Amino acid sequence: MRTEAGRDPGRRLAAILRRRRRLRPALLLTAPLLWLTVLYLGSLAVLFVSAFWSTDSFTSEVVKVWTTDNFHALLTTPVYRQVVLRSVAVALAVTGLCALLAFPVAFYTARVAPPCRRPLLVAAILTPLWASYLVKVYAWRLILSEGGLADWMLAPFGLRGPGYGLPATVLTLTYLWLPYMILPLHTALEQLPAGLLDASADLGARPGRTFRSVVLPLVLPSAAAGSVFTFSLSLGDYITVQIVGGKTQLIGNLVYSHIDLDLPMAAALGTVPVAVIVLYLLAIRRTGALDNL
């Protein structure tokens, strides 16, 4: 009797879920939505609110009094403006390089390579993601160091490696986030009907025209999806520029350097990447590139 009574609540719940099918996805989404609302959106709200506080210059303690001085300094100080523009430029450069490098690789793995080798090639593309972030960045630091692999490979041409600085930062970030652009393009090109390419060739279109008129419109949504990862990850990165960037400063470095000295100012600086990424997503959405994802 106790066993049957203990099963009654479970049976009743199962009967309710059978009758109300819409309740099942709601229960499954409750925990993720709760996590998103409380932890992620809640932390962003706290970040935004604390950006309107100030710091006592004598005690370095946070003064919870409403003020817009941090945002005023952010907009009027030339150094902050330069760092923000530099960070956005780096993120756009990394995204552009990833797109240029990812397309031929994805085209080969999806359309040219034999079908039996394609899973192995995709696994090879994913292999760098299995390594530690710091290991990869420090490996590039050794490659770009004076007398390193880059100098050794370019020496026969009378050239030298870029060394540490902004080009090294862009190059390293491109390597780090390149798989996030290759995989969406690989999936889009793999699903591209071969008949479209044959029909374009039969109608007399050259490869360049086929790419512009047939391939590019179909893979643009996947490229846009990959660019969200490459752009946002590059914009918020601060470790790579510390290791290979030399004296270069990005927005992430300023946030990190202000955490102990001026927490409200660090919060104000932290709102900049969030705002830029939101504007980037809105711009991509207005182009219609994400409609077919």
Side-chain angles (χ1 to χ4, degrees), residues 56-127:
D56 188 284
S57 58
F58 182 73
T59 62
S60 297
E61 293 184 357
V62 176
V63 179
K64 298 180 180 180
V65 177
W66 191 268
T67 179
T68 59
D69 291 344
N70 294 325
F71 289 101
H72 182 267
L74 188 61
L75 295 174
T76 58
T77 305
V79 174
Y80 292 149
R81 292 201 303 267
Q82 293 173 3
V83 171
V84 170
L85 293 176
R86 185 187 302 126
S87 302
V88 174
V90 167
L92 290 174
V94 171
T95 300
L97 286 175
C98 285
L100 290 176
L101 295 174
F103 185 83
V105 176
F107 189 84
Y108 177 81
T109 59
R111 311 295 304 185
V112 179
C116 60
R117 296 182 181 178
R118 291 175 186 175
L120 296 177
L121 294 174
V122 173
I125 293 171
L126 291 174
T127 300

